[in-house]
Amino acid sequence: MTHFMQEMTWKEYASCADKIVILPIGATEQHGEHLPLCVDAVLAEGFSLKLAEQIDGIIMPTLRYGYKSKPMSGGGPLFPGTVDLNGETVIKLVYDVLTEIIRDGFTKILIMNAHFENEAFIVEAMDLVTRDTNGIAKILETNWWDPMPSHIIDQVFDEIPFPGWALEHAAVTETSLMLYFKPELVHMDRITDTKNAEYMPYYRYPICKSDIPETGTLASAASSSFERGKLIVDSVLHELVRICEKEFNK
């Protein structure tokens, strides 16, 4: 049987209430000139499917819009195709979906996030749902990059320095993961080894377009490869399975 909820009948879905439900959350956001706007959604769903295959989980339809892109972690709203939601909208969207999952009898939920700016609003929704449902369900949230062991980061960035997760936008990790999950959507010939964006330890509005490389890529993607993507997926998947075993006794 499929792992995707939307491909099931309602009876098939109802019969899976004892399984772990995975909710992928991404965004629609610019990712430079070499990657598509759907990167975050593709990565959230890709990791979710890999995990579901390991734990026999159920994957909810991917939420494909996220919180506002910030200049120093996504380029901000300066590029056509970036669709930003207000924080209140993200909270209500995630709240409503989680409430429906719990109403259907599921009590083991894992949120797989792939958009850097989403997390605070997802966690707020988790807190509100837990309060309003008397904690009947256990809800976890993780970003795909958080479970990655530090030695894997060293291996992925063996040619160029790791710029930090905020600036690692449309750069080595996301490009390598797209080469692993959806290589047909990657335009390697359009990668330009431009200078990294200069990190600012503050936010400033209105946003200055000159703060962000005109390509929309915040750090170099030059050393990206399928092999690096596979290395990331294999290491993160191992940790995700371990988390599920620990928290859900799976």
Side-chain angles (χ1 to χ4, degrees):
M1 187 171 70
T2 179
H3 291 288
F4 289 100
M5 176 260 205
Q6 68 264 28
E7 297 176 356
M8 299 177 181
T9 67
W10 70 265
K11 282 193 172 183
E12 290 171 337
Y13 175 63
S15 71
C16 296
D18 62 329
K19 296 183 179 182
I20 297 172
V21 174
I22 306 169
L23 175 61
I25 303 181
T28 298
E29 178 186 39
Q30 76 85 22
H31 279 78
E33 297 178 354
H34 66 289
L35 292 176
L37 299 167
C38 62
V39 166
D40 292 346
V42 168
L43 300 190
E45 190 168 292
F47 276 103
S48 294
L49 179 56
K50 288 290 183 180
L51 178 59
E53 290 171 344
Q54 290 285 317
I55 64 173
D56 192 25
I58 305 300
I59 306 170
M60 298 298 293
T62 302
L63 302 186
R64 307 185 76 88
Y65 298 103
Y67 180 64
K68 298 170 184 174
S69 173
K70 293 181 181 178
M72 290 296 103
S73 55
L78 301 176
F79 299 85
T82 295
V83 180
D84 290 330
L85 299 184
N86 291 327
E88 183 180 11
T89 305
V90 177
I91 293 169
K92 289 182 176 180
L93 175 60
V94 177
Y95 177 96
D96 286 351
V97 173
L98 291 176
T99 301
E100 290 298 312
I101 293 171
I102 294 170
R103 184 175 291 143
D104 286 338
F106 293 83
T107 59
K108 295 176 285 189
I109 304 170
L110 173 71
I111 299 174
M112 175 57 60
N113 179 48
H115 180 57
F116 190 84
E117 290 88 345
N118 279 341
E119 187 169 43
F121 304 97
I122 294 172
V123 172
E124 175 70 2
M126 292 165 60
D127 179 62
L128 295 174
V129 168
T130 299
R131 181 190 67 186
D132 294 346
T133 59
N134 296 315
I136 192 173
K138 178 178 281 191
I139 310 171
L140 308 181
E141 184 272 347
T142 186
N143 309 299
W144 64 257
W145 54 89
D146 283 338
M148 192 188 309
S150 58
H151 72 275
I152 298 297
I153 296 177
D154 293 338
Q155 292 180 49
V156 171
F157 290 91
D158 59 348
E159 292 186 20
I160 60 176
F162 176 52
W165 285 119
L167 292 185
E168 182 51 28
H169 176 79
V172 174
T173 56
E174 287 190 317
T175 304
S176 295
L177 286 169
M178 285 298 289
L179 286 169
Y180 179 84
F181 286 124
K182 288 281 185 180
E184 68 275 16
L185 298 181
V186 181
H187 305 280
M188 293 295 288
D189 59 316
R190 299 179 191 174
I191 292 178
T192 54
D193 194 10
T194 55
K195 182 180 178 182
N196 291 6
E198 183 178 347
Y199 178 74
M200 296 187 302
Y202 56 88
Y203 293 109
R204 180 186 61 228
Y205 283 77
I207 299 168
C208 294
K209 193 169 185 178
S210 60
D211 292 338
I212 302 149
E214 62 182 20
T215 63
T217 303
L218 302 186
S220 175
S223 65
S224 305
S225 67
F226 169 90
E227 290 75 19
R228 286 183 171 83
K230 185 177 188 303
L231 180 63
I232 294 169
V233 171
D234 289 347
S235 65
V236 172
L237 182 61
H238 179 270
E239 293 301 313
L240 291 174
V241 171
R242 186 186 63 79
I243 290 168
C244 289
E245 290 173 345
K246 174 186 175 184
E247 295 293 340
F248 297 125
N249 299 314
K250 186 66 178 178

